[in-house]
Amino acid sequence: MKYILALDQGTTSSRAILYDETGRKRGQAARPVTQIYPRPGWVEHDAEEIFETQLAALRLAVEQSGAAPCEIAAAGVANQRETVVLWDRHTGRPAGNAVVWQCRRTADMCRELEAGGHARLIRQKTGLIIDAYFSATKLRWLLDGIPGARAAAARGDLLAGTVDTWLIWKLTGGRVHVTDVTNASRTMLFNIRTLSWDDELLELFDIPKAILPEVRSCSEVYGLTDPLVCGLEIPLAAAAGDQHAALFGQGCHTPGDTKNTYGTGCFLLQNTGGAPVESGNGLLTTVAWSLNGAAVYALEGSVFMGGALIQWLRDELGLIGGAPECDRLAAEVADSNGAYIVPAFVGLGAPHWDMGARGVIAGLTRGINKRHICRAALDAIAFQVNDVLDAMTRDSGIPIPVLRVDGGASASEPLLRFQADLCGVPVERPADAETTAMGAAMLAGLAVGVWPDIGSLKGLNPPGARFAPEWSAGDAPVPERVKTRLREWRKAVERSKNWLG
């Protein structure tokens, strides 16, 4: 029996799962990652903690499995995207905290780029819109904001990368400085048509190419883990941004296949095949993955606050003890009683892209209690996904027969039932909702021959639950009750926009 190790480094935790060649989990572990909020709208992580928690999860998962190191064929990395780390190539010490994808500190820089007329160039080359979400302005901020960083970079003393790059560099004892095409495609520095760092964009953002990693495919051996670091020596054979890994792990290998991950945020991706599809409706064009020298592309809609909204109810408001209580309370009421939560805590993502938006709770009356607030929170997640799904269908022209879902909040049946009824399409959750880790494992296993081809991956993660809508988007008019809810939701969204003016 061969085993594949998946390292799934996310925004709020670092996870490791060991799979056997049938797709069965043999060991798993997770460690939380501290969220750092130095100022309103700023989000940071301690890069050393990212690595230490990932390493601890790796060791515990292997220990739980009982697998011998020689039985582990390879490891694959999936990671929170856009988050940037800058570190000293000699000592391995971070130059400062990692700037997280949610961080809005570079919003003004982005507005200046827009005012300078650079939006079209960036859109054409990268498939992205100008937003503080992406890595380029974060990296420029680190180079300009950390004393001495520019001079150190010029001397060749600094390296930079997204979280995949940082983990691979650390796990290999500083021998391998690489990224993959999916993570590169989220930086706003990468040309998704030539599949290379773009010199014009590097000049625009004032980023020296020498600090950036080599770009590789998603499924190949990058190097070996350092036994002095990890306690074992195995091939690191895959890397992909978490949402791309989830798309692959959901079996969305055919153009038109669509998935949504309910994680910290919500991320809806649709496989569009071997050519990029430009969006006219506020979505992003991105690289889905690359295998055997061929790139597959995707349309993506990113929602910044998904499951993190439930976390907010628990940690900041103290309204619930956890997600199960939120589900229970929400299920005790028929609807939100006219309340709507727009969780634009760090702005609005797709399809609105408003960096100045901020969260609102609209429609409050004296009759609203915490059950209605819990219901409104779950509804808000579904409404945001529906907005993206509508835009995606208009862009691709492909009706979506089923929405495949995963992520922590996909455990919420009230959420998925409302999602199905709101969208008018079935919602399907796999037997194992850890599809990000599964995707990383699949990509690594393909690289080392545990599975010979994509076709051999079928059946590794079969469907679990299916939630049927009460109406069909394909052959029926939208019910009046759904129209009313959508109209009120859109009114609430408008209230949240341009708050910072």
Side-chain angles (χ1 to χ4, degrees), residues 187-206:
T187 61
M188 221 158 45
L189 299 170
F190 185 75
N191 191 315
I192 62 171
R193 289 167 174 81
T194 64
L195 299 180
S196 61
W197 298 121
D198 190 275
D199 290 335
E200 189 174 7
L201 295 176
L202 291 171
E203 183 178 356
L204 174 64
F205 288 98
D206 196 16

Side-chain angles (χ1 to χ4, degrees), residues 362-430:
L364 291 176
T365 61
R366 283 287 299 272
I368 288 172
N369 57 44
K370 70 177 181 179
R371 294 169 177 79
H372 300 115
I373 295 297
C374 289
R375 179 73 262 179
L378 294 178
D379 291 354
I381 298 170
F383 278 125
Q384 291 178 103
V385 170
N386 183 70
D387 287 349
V388 174
L389 195 65
D390 281 348
M392 190 166 282
T393 302
R394 292 196 299 273
D395 275 337
S396 70
I398 304 172
I400 298 172
V402 61
L403 178 63
R404 302 177 190 180
V405 300
D406 54 62
S410 69
S412 172
E413 294 201 3
L415 168 60
L416 298 191
R417 292 189 190 284
F418 183 68
Q419 187 76 77
D421 202 31
L422 189 64
C423 299
V425 299
V427 171
E428 191 174 272
R429 185 177 63 202

Side-chain angles (χ1 to χ4, degrees), residues 21 50 55 64 68 92 103 195 204 320 372 415:
E21 58 198 66
I50 287 176
L55 184 61
Q64 283 182 355
C103 188
L195 299 180
L204 174 64
I320 55 172
H372 300 115
L415 168 60

Side-chain angles (χ1 to χ4, degrees), residues 49-378:
E49 184 189 36
I50 287 176
F51 173 67
E52 288 164 4
T53 55
Q54 188 62 79
L55 184 61
L58 179 162
R59 289 171 170 164
L60 185 55
V62 171
E63 181 183 328
Q64 283 182 355
S65 72
C70 64
E71 296 176 305
I72 303 174
V77 175
N79 59 283
Q80 55 168 310
R81 304 172 302 168
E82 296 94 19
T83 297
V84 173
V85 184
L86 185 68
W87 69 94
D88 187 302
R89 70 158 67 235
H90 309 295
T91 67
R93 295 194 191 97
N97 281 340
V99 181
V100 176
W101 61 272
Q102 295 172 312
C103 188
R104 313 306 292 171
R105 73 184 63 188
T106 60
D108 287 342
M109 193 187 302
C110 291
R111 293 186 186 99
E112 291 173 7
L113 288 164
E114 286 181 348
H118 300 295
R120 183 171 177 78
L121 172 73
I122 289 171
R123 182 74 171 185
Q124 287 177 335
K125 292 195 172 197
T126 70
L128 309 176
I129 61 105
I130 296 175
D131 193 85
Y133 175 30
F134 305 109
S135 309
T137 58
K138 300 178 192 300
L139 181 51
R140 180 173 174 177
W141 188 94
L142 286 169
L143 288 169
D144 291 339
I146 297 174
R150 281 268 174 211
R155 292 193 303 269
D157 292 337
L158 294 183
L159 296 176
T162 43
V163 169
D164 61 312
T165 302
W166 168 243
L167 289 178
I168 292 170
W169 192 87
K170 292 286 282 185
L171 290 167
T172 59
R175 292 191 299 272
V176 180
H177 186 223
V178 300
T179 189
D180 81 288
V181 292
T182 67
N183 280 291
S185 75
R186 311 298 297 184
T187 61
M188 221 158 45
L189 299 170
F190 185 75
N191 191 315
I192 62 171
R193 289 167 174 81
T194 64
L195 299 180
S196 61
W197 298 121
D198 190 275
D199 290 335
E200 189 174 7
L201 295 176
L202 291 171
E203 183 178 356
L204 174 64
F205 288 98
D206 196 16
I207 306 296
K209 185 185 284 188
I211 70 173
L212 296 177
E214 178 187 357
V215 182
R216 306 275 284 272
S217 77
C218 298
S219 180
E220 62 174 286
V221 176
Y222 309 128
L224 300 176
T225 61
D226 187 335
L228 296 179
V229 175
C230 305
L232 70 167
E233 186 178 65
I234 56 174
L236 282 171
D242 50 10
Q243 305 312 318
H244 312 259
L247 187 71
F248 197 83
Q250 279 275 26
C252 294
H253 304 149
T254 303
D257 288 348
T258 306
K259 74 89 194 174
N260 182 61
T261 296
Y262 299 92
T264 300
C266 290
F267 301 91
L268 197 71
L269 275 77
Q270 181 181 79
N271 181 331
T272 60
V277 173
E278 293 188 17
S279 172
N281 294 283
L283 302 184
L284 307 175
T285 305
T286 193
V287 181
W289 57 75
S290 65
L291 287 172
N292 304 317
V296 172
Y297 293 86
L299 279 171
E300 175 175 341
S302 305
V303 172
F304 296 152
M305 293 294 292
L309 177 57
I310 310 304
Q311 227 175 8
W312 177 72
L313 294 182
R314 182 194 68 192
D315 298 342
E316 309 305 329
L317 297 191
L319 204 62
I320 55 172
E325 184 180 3
C326 183
D327 284 354
R328 179 180 61 78
L329 291 171
E332 291 176 0
V333 292
D335 55 40
S336 64
N337 199 16
Y340 293 84
I341 300 176
V342 183
F345 298 157
V346 290
L348 288 170
H352 310 284
W353 294 110
D354 186 344
M355 292 181 288
R358 286 297 179 267
V360 301
I361 303 178
L364 291 176
T365 61
R366 283 287 299 272
I368 288 172
N369 57 44
K370 70 177 181 179
R371 294 169 177 79
H372 300 115
I373 295 297
C374 289
R375 179 73 262 179
L378 294 178

